[in-house]
Amino acid sequence: AALAKVQVSLSPSTLKTPCGLPMPELILPKGGPVRHTNAILRKLAQIYEDVGLMGNDFIESGLVDSWLDWTTMEVDHLLLESDDITEVLDVLEAQMKSRTFLVGQRLSVADVSLACSLCSAVEKAGHEKIRQSHPSTLRWLLTSLHHIDRAMASQAQPAPKASAKAAEPKTAKAPEPKEPKAAPKAAPKAAAKEGDEAGAEGGSSKKEEKRKAKEAEKKAKEEEKKRKEEEALAAKNAKFAGPNLDFKNFQEHAFGNVFIQSQCHTDRQWTNVG
């Protein structure tokens, strides 16, 4: 949930599958509950698509689903029956020799699910022993757990607290009487006062200019950020946009956009909707 930038409240549950595995349940604000680990992971990962926890395209999404099901159907059941995870580590070692994560170049829910399932078993077997026999697997596991811990720490970081100390009231002291000064010195004082007032006005003007400059810079950054987000969204949508096809070449492509035009001309006028 922390990696998907979603706030959830946790509470203990006694639900279990027929084979004895824990069965988590996600209660949505609207609609019925979502049960079982993989269904919940997919739901959380799909709330914000920009986090990329389900892969960057259809192929990666299918691979993520494959690893999720392997974790649930094979790894979790194996851990219920035995502490020997050699077979699982062998599969992972072959996969992770030239990879950082299970699918693609970023952490996905497949890494999260499998790392959480294997964490206790690997610690029980000993990191040094695993490092000697399956170094790539241990590297992947520690990397995935680090990402998970960092996301949870950033989500749990408390807001800055206001100072509890109240300002102590200060008693104003009565000005001590001063001896009257000679008249010739009054003129320089008045001139100095006028100079101070002029300096204060100049300082206020400079502060206003700095404030306006900061606001303009902030606005420019926000516009640049918005532009980049729009460009990223357009590039992402372009991945799923197929080529424009016709009846002569549509069989040469797996998918695309087909425009059908009738050869019968009428006086009908079309209107754009939407």
Side-chain angles (χ1 to χ4, degrees):
L3 290 166
K5 302 177 182 178
V6 179
Q7 294 284 345
V8 296
S9 299
L10 301 178
S11 58
S13 173
T14 57
L15 296 176
K16 289 189 176 182
T17 63
C19 60
L21 289 172
M23 184 172 64
E25 185 177 51
L26 176 65
I27 307 298
L28 300 174
K30 296 181 180 179
V34 179
R35 294 195 178 107
H36 299 287
T37 303
N38 289 351
I40 293 174
L41 288 175
R42 292 187 184 100
K43 179 63 179 176
L44 294 176
Q46 291 168 354
I47 293 178
Y48 297 109
E49 294 183 356
D50 59 331
V51 296
L53 289 174
M54 282 299 296
N56 291 325
D57 52 36
F58 292 126
I59 296 176
E60 289 189 2
S61 180
L63 293 173
V64 169
D65 282 334
S66 177
W67 283 105
L68 282 175
D69 290 343
W70 181 71
T71 301
T72 302
M73 297 179 180
E74 298 189 31
V75 177
D76 289 345
H77 285 80
L78 176 66
L79 293 174
L80 277 178
E81 301 172 357
S82 172
D83 293 333
D84 186 7
I85 55 174
T86 305
E87 184 178 350
V88 174
L89 297 180
D90 290 342
V91 174
L92 282 174
E93 188 67 17
Q95 174 74 6
M96 302 312 302
K97 280 186 177 180
S98 59
R99 295 173 176 269
T100 304
F101 301 106
L102 289 173
V103 178
Q105 303 299 321
R106 299 175 61 181
L107 186 82
S108 68
V109 287
D111 299 287
V112 175
S113 177
L114 186 54
C116 291
S117 294
L118 286 178
C119 178
S120 298
V122 170
E123 286 185 356
K124 188 175 182 180
H127 283 187
E128 291 303 321
K129 181 181 178 181
I130 302 298
R131 182 176 283 110
Q132 293 176 5
S133 59
H134 300 84
S136 301
T137 301
L138 184 64
R139 169 183 50 78
W140 159 81
L141 177 64
L142 296 179
T143 301
S144 300
L145 293 176
H146 172 71
H147 279 268
I148 297 170
D149 292 341
R150 188 175 62 177
M152 294 178 64
S154 64
Q155 191 181 57
Q157 187 174 0
K161 296 182 179 179
S163 176
K165 293 184 177 180
E168 297 180 359
K170 296 182 179 180
T171 55
K173 294 183 179 180
E176 297 179 358
K178 297 182 180 180
E179 297 180 359
K181 295 185 179 180
K185 293 184 179 180
K189 283 188 177 181
K193 185 177 181 181
E194 292 177 358
D196 292 341
E197 291 177 355
E201 291 178 358
S204 177
S205 176
K206 289 181 178 179
K207 288 181 179 179
E208 183 68 17
E209 290 177 0
K210 288 183 178 180
R211 185 184 66 80
K212 289 181 178 180
K214 286 183 178 180
E215 289 180 354
E217 183 181 357
K218 182 180 179 181
K219 185 177 180 181
K221 287 182 178 179
E222 291 176 352
E223 292 177 351
E224 179 67 14
K225 181 181 178 182
K226 184 178 179 182
R227 182 186 65 80
K228 290 182 178 179
E229 289 176 350
E230 291 176 351
E231 290 179 354
L233 180 60
K236 184 177 180 180
N237 292 334
K239 293 181 180 179
F240 306 106
N244 294 327
L245 310 177
D246 54 30
F247 285 112
K248 295 180 180 180
N249 64 356
F250 76 95
Q251 291 183 340
E252 300 173 3
H253 298 269
F255 71 101
N257 307 313
V258 180
F259 176 72
I260 302 175
Q261 181 178 5
S262 173
Q263 295 183 2
C264 299
H265 296 277
T266 65
D267 295 330
R268 180 183 298 168
Q269 295 182 357
W270 298 92
T271 338
N272 289 331
V273 179

